[in-house]
Every structure is written in C-alpha cells, then in structure tokens.
C-alpha cells in the first residue's frame, strides 16, 4: 500500500529489500500490454489518468498542486500512448474536477467511467466484430 502512493516529488519511494517501489502509474498507468501478455485477444483499455482541464491553481498548496498536475499529465500521456499501441479500444472518462487524491469520490469516478463505457460501446462492439472472424478462424485451426 505504501508503494502505491509513492509519487515522485510528493511522497518518497518505498524501499523493499534492494528495490525502491513507486506507484505503478509512473511506469504503466494503463496496463494494456500486461493484459495482452496474459493472453487476452481483445482489450478495452480505460485511461483513468484523465487529462487536465483548465482550473485555478490552489492558493493554499500551489507547489503540491503543480506537482500533482505534472504527475497526472505524465500519467495520462504515457497511459494513452501505450494503451493505443496495445488495446483494441481506449476509453478515457472525463474526470474534470477530480484530483488524484480525491479518494472519497470513488462512486462519482465509477459513474463517470460507466458513462464513458456506454458512450464508447458502438466503437467497442464495432472493433470486436471486426476482429472476431480472425480469432474464430484461428481457434478452429
């Protein structure tokens, strides 16, 4: 748990043996490649590291706010690029007004993710139908 909240510049890495551990979002925020390596033939990736919307910087903790924004931008861009390479479809829910530390907004985040999935359902189904014949033929051979 401690490693999962270690964000560079905000909380230090967690040391376990000779390794320093940080939040997985730093390296692989949308693990579509991992799912592919586990044998998935069809992958719908969800980039929950949403891009930033325009909003004022916190007057109380401006440096923390800026560091969180930088981490979020990096996570979004890395996640989006890697997901687009490995996934059949990438869904990115709108999470404006929610920060990385808004743990109490989980129900709202889930609802926004559900809405994004529903909005992307035509693309999800179209891509599945497009690749389905190839996979069905591979299974019968």
């Amino acid at each position: 748990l401690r490693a999962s909240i270690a964000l560079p510049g905000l909380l230090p890495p967690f040391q376990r043996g000779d390794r320093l551990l940080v939040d997985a979002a730093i390296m692989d925020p949308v693990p579509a490649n991992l799912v592919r390596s586990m044998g998935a033939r069809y992958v719908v990736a969800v980039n929950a590291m949403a891009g930033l919307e325009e909003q004022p910087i916190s007057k109380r903790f401006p440096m923390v706010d800026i560091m969180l924004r930088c981490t979020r931008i990096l996570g979004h861009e890395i996640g989006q690029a890697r997901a687009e390479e490995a996934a059949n479809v990438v869904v990115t829910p709108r999470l404006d007004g929610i920060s990385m530390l808004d743990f109490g907004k989980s129900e709202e985040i889930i609802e926004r993710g559900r809405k994004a999935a529903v909005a992307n359902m035509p693309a999800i189904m179209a891509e599945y139908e497009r690749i389905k014949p190839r996979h069905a033929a591979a299974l019968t051979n």
Side-chain angles (χ1 to χ4, degrees):
L1 180 63
R2 174 61 184 81
S4 72
I5 61 169
L7 298 170
L10 186 61
L11 294 172
F14 178 75
Q15 186 160 0
R16 184 171 187 184
D18 61 346
R19 294 178 182 240
L20 292 176
L21 306 176
V22 296
D23 189 297
I26 302 304
M27 292 299 294
D28 200 5
V30 186
N33 279 317
L34 176 62
V35 174
R36 284 271 188 218
S37 73
M38 296 168 81
R41 292 192 176 116
Y42 184 75
V43 177
V44 176
V46 178
N47 188 355
M49 295 289 289
L52 282 178
E53 70 288 344
E54 194 173 316
Q55 62 186 25
I57 292 176
S58 165
K59 293 190 184 330
R60 189 169 181 197
F61 302 108
M63 291 308 294
V64 171
D65 191 12
I66 291 168
M67 289 169 62
L68 285 173
R69 287 175 188 223
C70 289
T71 301
R72 188 169 170 181
I73 290 168
L74 285 168
H76 173 76
E77 294 300 319
I78 291 168
Q80 194 71 23
R82 289 188 178 174
E84 287 174 1
E85 289 174 2
N88 297 88
V89 178
V90 180
V91 175
T92 305
R94 291 191 49 109
L95 296 174
D96 42 304
I98 297 176
S99 83
M100 290 173 53
L101 301 177
D102 282 333
F103 303 115
K105 294 185 177 180
S106 60
E107 288 183 23
E108 181 181 351
I109 294 167
I110 291 167
E111 179 58 21
R112 290 187 190 195
R114 187 194 67 73
K115 286 180 180 177
V118 168
N120 282 277
M121 196 56 68
I124 292 167
M125 294 308 296
E127 179 63 11
Y128 178 73
E129 291 299 324
R130 187 184 73 75
I131 69 163
K132 186 170 68 172
R134 287 188 292 159
H135 292 303
L139 292 174
T140 59
N141 291 336

